[in-house]
Amino acid sequence: MIAGDGSASFLAKGWPYAGYHVTIFSTGEEDVLEGPKGLGGYVQFYPVNALAEAGAHVDTFTNWHPNVVVDRELITGQQPMSAEEFGNTLIAKLNGSSN
């Protein structure tokens, strides 16, 4: 059950990252964390849907596995399991390496 109308249309207007490839918590990962057996609440909309509605190309991977997506200047990680890969990618980008 999703609270609210499930829409994140407020993101879509003029969002500077429309057209970029990104990653975020997958819907399956969010679902596990919702409700009384998770964090106790429900999301108003799923991030995958909201970003897609805003114009992003969302690339998720197997739940709870590292996934980092780089598109131009934007680096995104799917969830905390991506932290090490995200950090290495960020450092390489700051050092001018193409990773």
Side-chain angles (χ1 to χ4, degrees):
M1 179 172 148
I2 300 173
D5 66 3
S7 174
S9 58
F10 64 89
L11 282 176
K13 294 182 181 175
W15 190 52
Y17 296 106
Y20 279 62
H21 286 265
V22 301
T23 192
I24 190 77
F25 265 86
S26 70
T27 299
E29 290 163 334
E30 289 285 353
D31 189 50
V32 168
L33 297 175
E34 287 185 298
K37 292 184 179 179
L39 297 176
Y42 295 91
V43 298
Q44 293 183 353
F45 50 83
Y46 290 106
V48 168
N49 299 343
L51 290 170
E53 190 175 329
H57 302 280
V58 182
D59 305 319
T60 58
F61 191 64
T62 305
N63 289 353
W64 310 113
H65 285 81
N67 182 30
V68 172
V69 174
V70 179
D71 191 349
R72 293 162 266 187
E73 77 284 358
L74 185 64
I75 305 169
T76 54
Q78 185 166 325
Q79 31 51 15
M81 281 39 133
S82 304
E84 183 176 353
E85 184 180 345
F86 179 90
N88 292 336
T89 301
L90 176 62
I91 290 167
K93 191 93 150 155
L94 291 172
N95 287 331
S97 301
S98 60
N99 192 2

Coordinates of all heavy atoms in Angstrom, one line a residue:
M1 N 0.8 -1.2 0.0 CA 0.0 0.0 0.0 C 0.9 1.2 0.0 O 1.8 1.4 0.8 CB -0.9 0.0 1.2 CG -1.8 1.2 1.4 SD -2.9 0.9 2.8 CE -3.1 2.5 3.3
I2 N 0.6 2.1 -0.9 CA 1.4 3.4 -1.0 C 0.6 4.5 -0.5 O -0.6 4.7 -1.0 CB 1.8 3.6 -2.5 CG1 2.7 2.5 -3.0 CG2 2.6 4.9 -2.6 CD1 3.0 2.5 -4.5
A3 N 1.1 5.3 0.4 CA 0.4 6.5 0.8 C 0.4 7.5 -0.3 O 1.3 7.6 -1.1 CB 1.1 7.0 2.1
G4 N -0.5 8.5 -0.2 CA -0.6 9.5 -1.2 C -1.1 8.9 -2.6 O -1.6 7.8 -2.6
D5 N -0.8 9.7 -3.6 CA -1.3 9.2 -4.9 C -0.3 8.4 -5.7 O -0.6 8.0 -6.8 CB -1.9 10.4 -5.8 CG -0.8 11.4 -6.2 OD1 0.4 11.1 -5.9 OD2 -1.1 12.4 -6.8
G6 N 0.9 8.2 -5.2 CA 1.9 7.5 -5.9 C 2.6 8.3 -6.9 O 3.4 7.7 -7.7
S7 N 2.3 9.5 -7.1 CA 2.9 10.3 -8.1 C 4.0 11.3 -7.6 O 3.9 11.8 -6.5 CB 1.8 11.2 -8.8 OG 2.4 12.1 -9.7
A8 N 5.0 11.5 -8.4 CA 6.0 12.4 -8.0 C 6.2 13.4 -9.2 O 7.2 13.8 -9.5 CB 7.3 11.7 -7.8
S9 N 5.0 13.8 -9.7 CA 5.1 14.7 -10.9 C 5.7 16.0 -10.6 O 6.2 16.7 -11.6 CB 3.7 14.9 -11.5 OG 2.8 15.5 -10.5
F10 N 5.8 16.4 -9.4 CA 6.5 17.7 -9.0 C 7.9 17.7 -9.4 O 8.6 18.7 -9.6 CB 6.4 18.0 -7.5 CG 7.1 17.0 -6.7 CD1 8.4 17.1 -6.3 CD2 6.4 15.8 -6.2 CE1 9.0 16.2 -5.5 CE2 7.0 14.9 -5.4 CZ 8.3 15.1 -5.1
L11 N 8.5 16.5 -9.6 CA 9.9 16.4 -10.0 C 10.1 16.7 -11.5 O 11.2 17.1 -11.9 CB 10.5 15.0 -9.7 CG 10.9 14.6 -8.3 CD1 11.3 13.1 -8.3 CD2 12.0 15.4 -7.8
A12 N 9.1 16.4 -12.3 CA 9.3 16.4 -13.7 C 9.5 17.7 -14.4 O 10.2 17.8 -15.4 CB 8.0 15.7 -14.4
K13 N 9.1 18.8 -13.8 CA 9.2 20.1 -14.4 C 10.6 20.7 -14.2 O 11.0 21.1 -13.2 CB 8.2 21.0 -13.8 CG 6.7 20.6 -14.1 CD 5.7 21.6 -13.6 CE 4.3 21.1 -13.9 NZ 3.3 21.9 -13.3
G14 N 11.3 20.7 -15.3 CA 12.6 21.3 -15.3 C 13.7 20.6 -14.6 O 14.7 21.2 -14.2
W15 N 13.6 19.4 -14.3 CA 14.6 18.6 -13.6 C 15.9 18.5 -14.4 O 15.8 18.1 -15.6 CB 14.1 17.2 -13.2 CG 14.9 16.5 -12.2 CD1 15.4 16.9 -11.0 CD2 15.4 15.2 -12.4 NE1 16.2 16.0 -10.4 CE2 16.2 14.9 -11.2 CE3 15.3 14.2 -13.4 CZ2 16.8 13.7 -11.0 CZ3 16.0 13.0 -13.2 CH2 16.7 12.7 -12.0
P16 N 17.0 19.0 -13.9 CA 18.2 19.1 -14.7 C 18.8 17.7 -15.1 O 19.7 17.7 -16.0 CB 19.2 19.9 -13.9 CG 18.7 19.7 -12.5 CD 17.2 19.5 -12.6
Y17 N 18.4 16.6 -14.5 CA 19.0 15.3 -14.8 C 18.1 14.5 -15.7 O 18.3 13.3 -15.9 CB 19.4 14.6 -13.6 CG 20.5 15.3 -12.8 CD1 20.2 16.0 -11.7 CD2 21.8 15.4 -13.4 CE1 21.2 16.7 -11.0 CE2 22.8 16.1 -12.7 CZ 22.5 16.7 -11.6 OH 23.5 17.4 -10.9
A18 N 17.0 15.0 -16.3 CA 16.2 14.3 -17.2 C 17.0 13.8 -18.4 O 17.9 14.6 -18.9 CB 15.0 15.2 -17.7
G19 N 16.9 12.6 -18.7 CA 17.7 12.0 -19.8 C 18.9 11.3 -19.3 O 19.6 10.6 -20.1
Y20 N 19.3 11.4 -18.1 CA 20.5 10.8 -17.5 C 20.1 9.3 -17.1 O 19.0 9.0 -16.8 CB 21.0 11.5 -16.3 CG 21.8 12.7 -16.5 CD1 21.3 13.8 -17.1 CD2 23.1 12.8 -16.0 CE1 22.1 15.0 -17.3 CE2 23.9 13.9 -16.2 CZ 23.3 15.0 -16.8 OH 24.1 16.1 -17.0
H21 N 21.2 8.5 -17.1 CA 21.0 7.2 -16.5 C 21.4 7.3 -15.1 O 22.4 7.9 -14.7 CB 22.0 6.2 -17.2 CG 21.5 5.8 -18.6 ND1 20.7 4.7 -18.8 CD2 21.6 6.4 -19.8 CE1 20.4 4.6 -20.1 NE2 20.9 5.7 -20.7
V22 N 20.6 6.7 -14.2 CA 20.8 6.8 -12.8 C 20.4 5.4 -12.1 O 19.8 4.6 -12.8 CB 19.9 7.9 -12.1 CG1 20.3 9.2 -12.7 CG2 18.4 7.6 -12.2
T23 N 20.7 5.3 -10.9 CA 20.2 4.1 -10.1 C 19.8 4.7 -8.7 O 20.2 5.8 -8.3 CB 21.3 3.0 -10.0 OG1 20.6 1.8 -9.5 CG2 22.4 3.4 -9.1
I24 N 19.0 3.9 -8.1 CA 18.4 4.2 -6.8 C 17.9 2.9 -6.2 O 17.9 1.9 -6.8 CB 17.2 5.2 -7.0 CG1 16.7 5.8 -5.7 CG2 16.1 4.6 -7.7 CD1 17.6 6.9 -5.1
F25 N 17.5 3.0 -4.9 CA 16.9 1.8 -4.3 C 15.8 1.2 -5.3 O 15.0 2.0 -5.8 CB 16.1 2.2 -3.0 CG 16.9 2.0 -1.7 CD1 17.8 3.0 -1.3 CD2 16.8 0.8 -1.0 CE1 18.5 2.8 -0.1 CE2 17.5 0.6 0.2 CZ 18.4 1.6 0.6
S26 N 15.9 -0.1 -5.5 CA 14.9 -0.7 -6.4 C 13.5 -0.8 -5.6 O 13.5 -0.7 -4.4 CB 15.3 -2.1 -6.8 OG 15.3 -3.0 -5.7
T27 N 12.5 -1.0 -6.4 CA 11.2 -1.1 -5.8 C 11.1 -2.3 -4.9 O 10.5 -2.3 -3.8 CB 10.1 -1.2 -6.9 OG1 10.1 0.0 -7.7 CG2 8.7 -1.4 -6.3
G28 N 11.8 -3.4 -5.2 CA 11.9 -4.6 -4.4 C 12.6 -4.3 -3.1 O 12.2 -4.8 -2.0
E29 N 13.6 -3.5 -3.1 CA 14.3 -3.1 -1.9 C 13.5 -2.2 -1.0 O 13.4 -2.4 0.2 CB 15.6 -2.4 -2.2 CG 16.7 -3.4 -2.8 CD 17.8 -2.7 -3.5 OE1 17.6 -1.5 -4.0 OE2 18.9 -3.3 -3.6
E30 N 12.8 -1.3 -1.6 CA 11.9 -0.4 -0.8 C 10.7 -1.3 -0.2 O 10.4 -1.1 0.9 CB 11.2 0.6 -1.7 CG 12.2 1.7 -2.2 CD 12.5 2.7 -1.1 OE1 11.9 2.7 0.0 OE2 13.4 3.6 -1.4
D31 N 10.2 -2.2 -1.0 CA 9.1 -3.0 -0.5 C 9.5 -3.8 0.8 O 8.7 -3.9 1.7 CB 8.6 -4.0 -1.6 CG 7.4 -4.7 -1.3 OD1 6.4 -4.0 -0.9 OD2 7.4 -5.9 -1.4
V32 N 10.7 -4.3 0.8 CA 11.1 -5.1 2.0 C 11.2 -4.2 3.2 O 10.9 -4.7 4.3 CB 12.5 -5.7 1.7 CG1 13.2 -6.2 2.9 CG2 12.5 -6.8 0.6
L33 N 11.5 -2.9 3.0 CA 11.7 -2.0 4.2 C 10.3 -1.4 4.6 O 10.3 -0.7 5.6 CB 12.7 -0.9 3.8 CG 14.1 -1.4 3.5 CD1 15.0 -0.3 3.1 CD2 14.7 -2.1 4.8
E34 N 9.3 -1.6 3.9 CA 8.0 -1.0 4.2 C 7.2 -1.8 5.2 O 7.4 -3.0 5.4 CB 7.1 -0.8 3.0 CG 7.6 0.3 2.1 CD 6.6 0.5 0.9 OE1 6.4 -0.4 0.1 OE2 6.1 1.6 0.8
G35 N 6.3 -1.1 5.9 CA 5.3 -1.8 6.8 C 5.9 -2.2 8.1 O 7.0 -1.9 8.5
P36 N 5.1 -2.9 8.9 CA 5.4 -3.3 10.3 C 6.7 -4.2 10.4 O 7.3 -4.1 11.4 CB 4.2 -4.0 10.8 CG 3.4 -4.3 9.6 CD 3.8 -3.4 8.5
K37 N 7.0 -4.9 9.4 CA 8.2 -5.8 9.5 C 9.4 -5.1 9.0 O 10.5 -5.6 9.1 CB 8.0 -7.1 8.6 CG 6.9 -8.0 9.2 CD 6.8 -9.3 8.5 CE 5.7 -10.1 9.1 NZ 5.5 -11.4 8.5
G38 N 9.3 -3.9 8.5 CA 10.4 -3.1 8.0 C 10.6 -1.9 8.9 O 10.8 -2.0 10.1
L39 N 10.6 -0.7 8.3 CA 10.8 0.5 9.1 C 9.5 1.1 9.7 O 9.6 2.1 10.4 CB 11.5 1.6 8.2 CG 12.9 1.1 7.7 CD1 13.4 2.2 6.7 CD2 13.8 0.9 8.9
G40 N 8.4 0.5 9.4 CA 7.1 0.9 10.1 C 6.2 1.8 9.3 O 5.1 1.9 9.6
G41 N 6.7 2.3 8.2 CA 5.8 3.2 7.4 C 5.8 2.7 5.9 O 6.4 1.7 5.6
Y42 N 5.2 3.6 5.1 CA 5.1 3.3 3.7 C 5.6 4.5 2.9 O 5.3 5.7 3.3 CB 3.6 3.0 3.3 CG 3.2 1.7 3.9 CD1 2.5 1.7 5.2 CD2 3.4 0.5 3.3 CE1 2.1 0.5 5.7 CE2 3.0 -0.7 3.9 CZ 2.4 -0.7 5.1 OH 2.0 -1.9 5.7
V43 N 6.2 4.3 1.8 CA 6.6 5.4 1.0 C 5.4 6.1 0.2 O 4.4 5.4 0.0 CB 7.7 5.0 -0.1 CG1 9.0 4.5 0.7 CG2 7.2 4.0 -1.0
Q44 N 5.5 7.4 -0.1 CA 4.5 8.0 -0.8 C 4.6 7.7 -2.3 O 3.6 7.7 -3.0 CB 4.5 9.5 -0.6 CG 4.2 9.9 0.8 CD 4.2 11.4 1.0 OE1 4.6 12.2 0.1 NE2 3.8 11.9 2.2
F45 N 5.8 7.4 -2.8 CA 6.0 7.0 -4.1 C 7.3 6.2 -4.2 O 8.1 6.4 -3.3 CB 6.0 8.1 -5.1 CG 6.9 9.3 -4.7 CD1 8.2 9.2 -5.0 CD2 6.4 10.4 -4.1 CE1 9.1 10.3 -4.6 CE2 7.2 11.4 -3.7 CZ 8.6 11.4 -4.0
Y46 N 7.4 5.3 -5.1 CA 8.7 4.6 -5.2 C 9.7 5.4 -6.0 O 9.3 6.0 -7.1 CB 8.5 3.2 -5.9 CG 7.7 2.3 -5.0 CD1 6.4 2.0 -5.2 CD2 8.3 1.7 -3.9 CE1 5.7 1.1 -4.4 CE2 7.7 0.8 -3.1 CZ 6.3 0.6 -3.3 OH 5.7 -0.3 -2.4
P47 N 10.9 5.5 -5.6 CA 11.9 6.3 -6.2 C 12.1 6.0 -7.7 O 12.3 6.8 -8.5 CB 13.2 6.1 -5.4 CG 12.7 5.7 -4.1 CD 11.4 5.0 -4.3
V48 N 12.1 4.7 -8.0 CA 12.3 4.3 -9.4 C 11.2 4.9 -10.3 O 11.6 5.5 -11.4 CB 12.2 2.7 -9.5 CG1 12.1 2.3 -11.0 CG2 13.4 2.1 -8.9
N49 N 10.0 4.9 -9.9 CA 8.9 5.5 -10.6 C 9.0 7.0 -10.7 O 8.8 7.6 -11.8 CB 7.5 5.1 -10.0 CG 7.3 3.6 -10.1 OD1 8.0 2.9 -10.8 ND2 6.4 3.1 -9.3
A50 N 9.4 7.6 -9.6 CA 9.5 9.1 -9.5 C 10.6 9.6 -10.5 O 10.4 10.5 -11.2 CB 9.8 9.5 -8.1
L51 N 11.7 8.9 -10.4 CA 12.8 9.3 -11.3 C 12.5 9.1 -12.8 O 12.8 9.9 -13.6 CB 14.1 8.6 -10.9 CG 14.7 9.0 -9.6 CD1 15.8 8.1 -9.2 CD2 15.2 10.5 -9.7
A52 N 11.9 8.0 -13.1 CA 11.4 7.7 -14.5 C 10.4 8.8 -14.9 O 10.5 9.3 -16.1 CB 10.9 6.3 -14.6
E53 N 9.5 9.1 -14.1 CA 8.5 10.1 -14.4 C 9.2 11.5 -14.7 O 8.7 12.3 -15.5 CB 7.5 10.2 -13.3 CG 6.3 11.1 -13.6 CD 5.2 11.1 -12.5 OE1 5.1 10.0 -11.8 OE2 4.6 12.1 -12.3
A54 N 10.3 11.7 -14.0 CA 11.0 13.0 -14.1 C 11.9 13.0 -15.4 O 12.5 14.0 -15.7 CB 11.8 13.3 -12.9
G55 N 12.0 11.8 -16.0 CA 12.8 11.7 -17.3 C 14.1 11.0 -17.2 O 14.8 11.0 -18.2
A56 N 14.4 10.4 -16.0 CA 15.6 9.6 -15.9 C 15.5 8.2 -16.5 O 14.4 7.7 -16.6 CB 16.1 9.5 -14.5
H57 N 16.6 7.6 -16.9 CA 16.6 6.2 -17.3 C 17.2 5.5 -16.1 O 18.3 5.6 -15.8 CB 17.5 6.0 -18.5 CG 17.1 6.8 -19.7 ND1 16.1 6.5 -20.5 CD2 17.6 8.0 -20.1 CE1 15.9 7.4 -21.4 NE2 16.8 8.3 -21.2
V58 N 16.3 4.8 -15.3 CA 16.7 4.1 -14.1 C 17.2 2.7 -14.4 O 16.5 1.9 -15.0 CB 15.5 4.1 -13.1 CG1 16.0 3.5 -11.8 CG2 15.0 5.5 -12.9
D59 N 18.4 2.4 -13.9 CA 19.0 1.1 -14.1 C 19.2 0.5 -12.7 O 20.1 0.9 -12.0 CB 20.4 1.2 -14.8 CG 20.3 2.0 -16.1 OD1 19.3 1.7 -16.9 OD2 21.2 2.8 -16.4
T60 N 18.4 -0.5 -12.3 CA 18.6 -1.2 -11.1 C 19.2 -2.5 -11.3 O 19.1 -3.1 -12.4 CB 17.3 -1.2 -10.2 OG1 16.3 -1.9 -11.0 CG2 16.8 0.1 -9.8
F61 N 19.7 -3.1 -10.3 CA 20.4 -4.4 -10.4 C 19.7 -5.3 -9.3 O 18.8 -4.9 -8.6 CB 21.9 -4.2 -10.1 CG 22.7 -5.5 -10.4 CD1 22.8 -5.9 -11.7 CD2 23.4 -6.1 -9.4 CE1 23.6 -7.1 -12.0 CE2 24.2 -7.2 -9.7 CZ 24.3 -7.7 -11.0
T62 N 20.2 -6.5 -9.2 CA 19.7 -7.4 -8.2 C 19.6 -6.8 -6.8 O 20.6 -6.1 -6.4 CB 20.6 -8.7 -8.1 OG1 20.8 -9.2 -9.4 CG2 20.1 -9.7 -7.2
N63 N 18.5 -7.0 -6.1 CA 18.4 -6.4 -4.8 C 19.6 -6.7 -3.9 O 20.1 -7.8 -3.8 CB 17.1 -7.0 -4.1 CG 15.9 -6.5 -4.7 OD1 15.9 -5.6 -5.6 ND2 14.7 -7.0 -4.3
W64 N 20.0 -5.7 -3.2 CA 21.0 -5.7 -2.1 C 22.4 -6.1 -2.7 O 23.3 -6.6 -2.0 CB 20.6 -6.6 -1.0 CG 19.3 -6.2 -0.5 CD1 18.1 -7.0 -0.6 CD2 18.9 -5.0 0.1 NE1 17.0 -6.3 0.0 CE2 17.5 -5.1 0.4 CE3 19.5 -3.8 0.4 CZ2 16.7 -4.1 0.9 CZ3 18.8 -2.8 1.0 CH2 17.4 -2.9 1.3
H65 N 22.7 -5.8 -4.0 CA 24.0 -6.0 -4.5 C 24.5 -4.6 -5.0 O 23.7 -3.7 -5.4 CB 23.9 -6.9 -5.7 CG 23.8 -8.4 -5.3 ND1 22.6 -8.9 -5.0 CD2 24.7 -9.3 -5.2 CE1 22.8 -10.2 -4.6 NE2 24.1 -10.4 -4.7
P66 N 25.8 -4.4 -5.0 CA 26.3 -3.1 -5.4 C 26.0 -2.8 -6.9 O 26.0 -3.6 -7.7 CB 27.9 -3.3 -5.3 CG 28.0 -4.5 -4.4 CD 26.8 -5.3 -4.6
N67 N 25.7 -1.5 -7.1 CA 25.4 -1.0 -8.4 C 25.6 0.5 -8.4 O 25.0 1.2 -7.7 CB 23.9 -1.3 -8.8 CG 23.5 -0.9 -10.2 OD1 24.4 -0.9 -11.1 ND2 22.3 -0.5 -10.4
V68 N 26.5 0.9 -9.3 CA 26.9 2.3 -9.4 C 26.7 2.6 -10.9 O 27.1 1.9 -11.8 CB 28.3 2.6 -9.0 CG1 28.7 4.0 -9.3 CG2 28.4 2.4 -7.5
V69 N 26.1 3.8 -11.2 CA 25.9 4.2 -12.5 C 26.5 5.6 -12.7 O 26.2 6.5 -11.8 CB 24.3 4.3 -12.9 CG1 24.1 4.9 -14.2 CG2 23.7 2.9 -12.8
V70 N 27.3 5.8 -13.7 CA 27.9 7.1 -14.0 C 27.4 7.6 -15.3 O 27.4 6.9 -16.3 CB 29.4 6.9 -14.0 CG1 30.1 8.3 -14.4 CG2 30.0 6.4 -12.7
D71 N 26.9 8.8 -15.3 CA 26.4 9.4 -16.5 C 26.9 10.9 -16.5 O 26.4 11.6 -15.6 CB 24.9 9.3 -16.7 CG 24.4 9.7 -18.1 OD1 25.2 10.3 -18.9 OD2 23.3 9.5 -18.4
R72 N 27.8 11.2 -17.3 CA 28.4 12.6 -17.3 C 28.9 12.9 -15.9 O 29.8 12.2 -15.4 CB 27.4 13.6 -17.9 CG 27.1 13.4 -19.3 CD 25.9 14.0 -19.8 NE 24.8 13.1 -19.7 CZ 23.6 13.3 -20.1 NH1 23.3 14.5 -20.7 NH2 22.6 12.4 -20.0
E73 N 28.5 14.0 -15.3 CA 29.0 14.4 -14.0 C 28.3 13.7 -12.8 O 28.7 13.9 -11.7 CB 28.9 15.9 -13.8 CG 27.6 16.5 -13.5 CD 26.6 16.5 -14.7 OE1 26.9 16.2 -15.9 OE2 25.4 17.0 -14.5
L74 N 27.2 13.0 -13.1 CA 26.4 12.4 -12.1 C 26.8 11.0 -11.8 O 26.9 10.1 -12.6 CB 24.9 12.4 -12.5 CG 23.9 12.0 -11.5 CD1 23.9 12.9 -10.2 CD2 22.5 11.9 -12.1
I75 N 27.1 10.7 -10.5 CA 27.4 9.3 -10.0 C 26.3 8.9 -9.0 O 26.0 9.7 -8.0 CB 28.7 9.3 -9.3 CG1 29.8 9.8 -10.2 CG2 29.1 7.9 -8.8 CD1 31.1 10.1 -9.4
T76 N 25.6 7.8 -9.2 CA 24.6 7.3 -8.3 C 24.8 5.9 -7.9 O 25.4 5.1 -8.7 CB 23.2 7.4 -9.0 OG1 23.2 6.7 -10.2 CG2 22.8 8.9 -9.2
G77 N 24.4 5.6 -6.7 CA 24.6 4.2 -6.1 C 23.2 3.7 -5.7 O 22.4 4.5 -5.3
Q78 N 23.0 2.4 -5.9 CA 21.6 1.8 -5.7 C 21.2 1.8 -4.3 O 20.1 2.1 -4.0 CB 21.6 0.4 -6.3 CG 20.2 -0.2 -6.3 CD 20.0 -1.4 -7.1 OE1 20.6 -1.5 -8.2 NE2 19.3 -2.3 -6.7
Q79 N 22.1 1.5 -3.4 CA 21.8 1.4 -1.9 C 23.1 1.3 -1.2 O 24.2 1.3 -1.8 CB 20.8 0.3 -1.6 CG 20.7 -1.0 -2.4 CD 22.0 -1.7 -2.6 OE1 23.0 -1.5 -2.0 NE2 21.9 -2.6 -3.6
P80 N 23.1 1.2 0.2 CA 24.3 1.2 0.9 C 25.4 0.1 0.5 O 26.6 0.3 0.7 CB 23.9 0.9 2.4 CG 22.5 1.5 2.4 CD 21.9 1.2 1.0
M81 N 24.9 -1.0 -0.1 CA 25.9 -2.0 -0.5 C 26.8 -1.5 -1.7 O 27.8 -2.1 -2.0 CB 25.2 -3.3 -1.0 CG 24.7 -4.2 0.1 SD 24.1 -3.3 1.6 CE 22.6 -4.2 1.9
S82 N 26.4 -0.4 -2.2 CA 27.2 0.3 -3.3 C 28.2 1.3 -2.8 O 28.9 1.9 -3.6 CB 26.2 1.0 -4.3 OG 25.2 0.1 -4.7
A83 N 28.3 1.4 -1.5 CA 29.1 2.5 -1.0 C 30.6 2.4 -1.4 O 31.2 3.4 -1.8 CB 29.0 2.5 0.6
E84 N 31.2 1.2 -1.3 CA 32.6 1.1 -1.6 C 32.9 1.4 -3.1 O 33.8 2.2 -3.5 CB 33.1 -0.3 -1.3 CG 34.6 -0.4 -1.6 CD 35.2 -1.8 -1.2 OE1 34.5 -2.6 -0.5 OE2 36.4 -2.0 -1.5
E85 N 32.1 0.8 -4.0 CA 32.2 1.1 -5.4 C 31.9 2.5 -5.7 O 32.6 3.2 -6.6 CB 31.2 0.2 -6.2 CG 31.4 0.3 -7.7 CD 30.4 -0.6 -8.5 OE1 29.8 -1.5 -7.9 OE2 30.3 -0.3 -9.7
F86 N 30.9 3.1 -5.1 CA 30.6 4.5 -5.3 C 31.8 5.4 -4.9 O 32.2 6.3 -5.6 CB 29.4 4.9 -4.5 CG 29.0 6.4 -4.6 CD1 28.1 6.8 -5.6 CD2 29.6 7.4 -3.8 CE1 27.8 8.1 -5.7 CE2 29.2 8.7 -3.9 CZ 28.3 9.1 -4.9
G87 N 32.4 5.1 -3.7 CA 33.6 5.9 -3.3 C 34.7 5.8 -4.2 O 35.4 6.8 -4.5
N88 N 35.0 4.6 -4.7 CA 36.1 4.4 -5.6 C 35.9 5.1 -6.9 O 36.8 5.7 -7.5 CB 36.3 2.9 -5.9 CG 36.9 2.2 -4.7 OD1 37.5 2.8 -3.8 ND2 36.6 0.9 -4.6
T89 N 34.6 5.1 -7.4 CA 34.2 5.8 -8.6 C 34.4 7.3 -8.5 O 34.9 8.0 -9.3 CB 32.8 5.4 -9.0 OG1 32.7 4.0 -9.2 CG2 32.4 6.1 -10.3
L90 N 33.9 7.8 -7.3 CA 34.0 9.2 -7.0 C 35.5 9.7 -7.0 O 35.9 10.7 -7.6 CB 33.3 9.6 -5.7 CG 33.5 11.0 -5.3 CD1 32.8 12.0 -6.3 CD2 32.8 11.2 -3.9
I91 N 36.3 8.9 -6.3 CA 37.8 9.3 -6.2 C 38.4 9.3 -7.6 O 39.2 10.2 -7.9 CB 38.5 8.4 -5.2 CG1 38.0 8.7 -3.8 CG2 40.0 8.5 -5.3 CD1 38.4 7.7 -2.8
A92 N 38.1 8.2 -8.4 CA 38.6 8.2 -9.7 C 38.2 9.4 -10.6 O 39.0 10.0 -11.3 CB 38.2 6.9 -10.4
K93 N 36.9 9.8 -10.4 CA 36.4 10.9 -11.2 C 37.1 12.2 -10.7 O 37.5 13.0 -11.5 CB 34.9 11.0 -10.9 CG 34.2 12.0 -11.8 CD 33.7 11.2 -13.0 CE 32.4 11.8 -13.5 NZ 32.3 11.5 -15.0
L94 N 37.3 12.4 -9.4 CA 38.0 13.5 -8.9 C 39.5 13.6 -9.3 O 40.0 14.7 -9.5 CB 37.9 13.6 -7.4 CG 36.5 13.8 -6.8 CD1 36.6 13.6 -5.3 CD2 36.1 15.2 -7.1
N95 N 40.1 12.4 -9.5 CA 41.5 12.3 -10.0 C 41.6 12.5 -11.5 O 42.7 12.4 -12.1 CB 42.1 11.1 -9.5 CG 42.4 11.1 -8.0 OD1 42.7 12.1 -7.5 ND2 42.4 9.9 -7.4
G96 N 40.4 12.6 -12.2 CA 40.5 12.8 -13.6 C 40.5 11.5 -14.4 O 40.7 11.5 -15.6
S97 N 40.3 10.3 -13.8 CA 40.3 9.1 -14.5 C 38.9 8.8 -15.0 O 37.9 9.2 -14.4 CB 40.6 7.9 -13.5 OG 41.9 8.1 -12.9
S98 N 38.8 8.1 -16.1 CA 37.5 7.7 -16.6 C 37.3 6.3 -16.1 O 38.1 5.4 -16.4 CB 37.4 7.8 -18.1 OG 38.4 6.9 -18.7
N99 N 36.3 6.1 -15.3 CA 36.0 4.8 -14.7 C 34.8 4.2 -15.2 O 33.8 4.8 -15.5 CB 35.9 5.0 -13.2 CG 35.9 3.7 -12.4 OD1 36.0 2.7 -13.0 ND2 35.7 3.8 -11.1

